[in-house]
């Protein structure tokens, strides 16, 4: 982790804090709110996507605990604490679940350590690290998680901040390759296939303002992250359409999601 990455700069927008603003949270600054409002001006339903991804997290963690037998999670790019965080969902189903949160924003880590408490039976730990450094993440994970048992590898809304394809595919592959058999990869990623040019424009503008760089990838590009894995039905779809609550009637959103079994 470089010194520059570890600095807390509240004068430029940051994706985790913008996301927090869209979810109705208070852990954000003027620059984040201004950037978030600018995006909403172009894409009014952007907060719907944020809430939809949070609902997806709850559904997928429930699936992994109840049906796949997962009891430990590596959550990379966790973002600021909100309702139904990974460990809260998992430990509500089995208090012995263990979770390691990883983020490269010191504000995120400070809030996580202060607000995210584990059950006595389980574990909840935190490390400041970057997805571009999977070896550092894995070294930290081995101190909290048991690599002889399956792990839920959660990459929600983080890979879209890796602008270079070689870095993005390589970093994810290194994490996946280290996972024990029976683990699952859960990945969400921004796309322009729903909103088209307006989405690409707000991504360019956010990056130009000095915010966290972000890019869209197509469904085909996202399917590459699951190459060699057992991609679960219904495949890569917008997160609102991944095994939704039958009573829900959510629109397609700008985040694709996929879940795959490893090994």
């Amino acid at each position: 982790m470089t010194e520059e990455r570890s600095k807390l700069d509240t004068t430029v927008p940051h994706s985790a804090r913008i996301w927090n603003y869209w979810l109705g949270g208070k852990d954000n600054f003027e620059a984040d709110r201004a950037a978030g409002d600018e995006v909403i001006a172009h894409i009014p339903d952007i907060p719907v996507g944020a809430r939809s991804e949070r609902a997806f997290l709850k559904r997928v963690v429930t699936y992994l605990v109840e049906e796949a037998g997962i009891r430990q999670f590596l959550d990379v790019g966790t973002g600021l604490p909100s309702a139904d965080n990974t460990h809260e969902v998992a430990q509500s189903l089995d208090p012995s679940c263990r979770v390691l949160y990883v983020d490269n924003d010191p504000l995120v880590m400070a809030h996580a350590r202060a607000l995210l408490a584990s059950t006595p039976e389980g574990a909840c730990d935190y490390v400041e690290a970057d997805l571009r450094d999977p070896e550092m993440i894995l070294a930290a994970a081995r101190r909290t998680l048991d690599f002889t048992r399956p792990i839920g590898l959660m990459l929600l809304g983080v890979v879209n901040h890796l602008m270079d394809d070689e870095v993005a595919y390589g970093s994810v592959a290194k994490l996946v390759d280290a996972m024990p058999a029976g683990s699952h990869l859960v990945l969400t990623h921004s796309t322009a296939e729903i909103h088209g040019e307006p989405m690409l424009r707000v991504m360019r503008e956010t990056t130009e303002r000095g915010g966290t760089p972000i890019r869209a990838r197509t469904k085909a590009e996202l399917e590459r992250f699951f190459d060699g894995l057992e991609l679960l039905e219904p495949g890569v779809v917008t997160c609102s359409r991944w095994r939704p609550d039958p009573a829900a009637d959510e629109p397609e959103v700008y985040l694709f999601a996929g879940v795959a079994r490893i090994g």
Side-chain angles (χ1 to χ4, degrees):
M1 198 73 181
T2 64
E3 180 182 351
E4 180 179 356
R5 257 185 215 155
S6 295
K7 289 179 181 177
L8 173 58
D9 188 348
T10 63
T11 65
V12 296
H14 188 284
S15 62
R17 300 191 296 263
I18 295 172
W19 202 256
N20 177 265
Y21 173 55
W22 287 338
L23 285 172
K26 299 179 180 179
D27 298 313
N28 48 74
F29 299 99
E30 183 178 350
D32 308 306
R33 295 188 287 274
D37 287 340
E38 187 170 314
V39 173
I40 292 172
H42 294 291
I43 306 175
D45 65 347
I46 206 91
V48 174
R51 293 191 295 270
S52 180
E53 189 190 49
R54 182 59 52 158
F56 164 76
L57 181 154
K58 186 174 182 179
R59 294 197 306 276
V60 77
V61 171
T62 299
Y63 167 81
L64 292 178
V65 173
E66 292 189 337
E67 299 189 43
I70 302 290
R71 293 296 183 272
Q72 47 184 0
F73 295 83
L74 176 56
D75 188 332
V76 182
T78 180
L80 287 163
S82 183
D84 296 325
N85 300 288
T86 298
H87 79 285
E88 292 171 329
V89 178
Q91 291 181 349
S92 71
L93 301 167
D94 186 333
S96 70
C97 286
R98 306 174 69 83
V99 178
L100 175 64
Y101 288 110
V102 180
D103 205 286
N104 70 349
D105 185 340
L107 178 69
V108 168
M109 288 292 94
H111 280 263
R113 293 186 181 99
L115 299 176
L116 303 184
S118 173
T119 59
E121 302 93 330
C124 188
D125 207 352
Y126 323 91
V127 62
E128 187 178 329
D130 196 294
L131 181 54
R132 298 172 186 83
D133 190 355
E135 290 84 3
M136 180 178 179
I137 292 173
L138 290 168
R142 290 189 174 95
R143 294 194 291 268
T144 298
L145 308 179
D146 179 359
F147 274 67
T148 68
R149 298 169 54 226
I151 295 169
L153 174 58
M154 311 288 288
L155 301 175
L156 273 61
V158 61
V159 180
N160 41 231
H161 296 302
L162 301 186
M163 308 297 281
D164 183 271
D165 281 340
E166 183 177 352
V167 173
Y169 290 113
S171 296
V172 173
K174 287 179 181 176
L175 291 177
V176 168
D177 289 347
M179 294 295 106
S183 297
H184 285 65
L185 169 63
V186 180
L187 188 147
T188 68
H189 195 296
S190 298
T191 183
E193 293 194 6
I194 306 301
H195 293 93
E197 178 56 32
M199 176 60 73
L200 297 174
R201 182 169 66 249
V202 298
M203 288 181 173
R204 289 194 300 267
E205 291 174 353
T206 297
T207 301
E208 289 167 1
R209 289 177 62 146
T212 311
I214 186 169
R215 62 164 291 180
R217 287 185 170 92
T218 66
K219 179 178 179 179
E221 288 174 318
L222 295 186
E223 288 172 341
R224 282 185 56 193
F225 288 105
F226 300 98
D227 282 352
L229 307 180
E230 180 188 343
L231 185 61
L232 305 185
E233 292 293 337
V236 174
V237 293
T238 64
C239 61
S240 58
R241 302 295 169 83
W242 194 90
R243 306 189 181 187
D245 183 331
D249 184 22
E250 295 185 53
E252 285 195 304
V253 296
Y254 54 91
L255 291 151
F256 279 136
V259 182
R261 189 178 188 277
I262 301 170

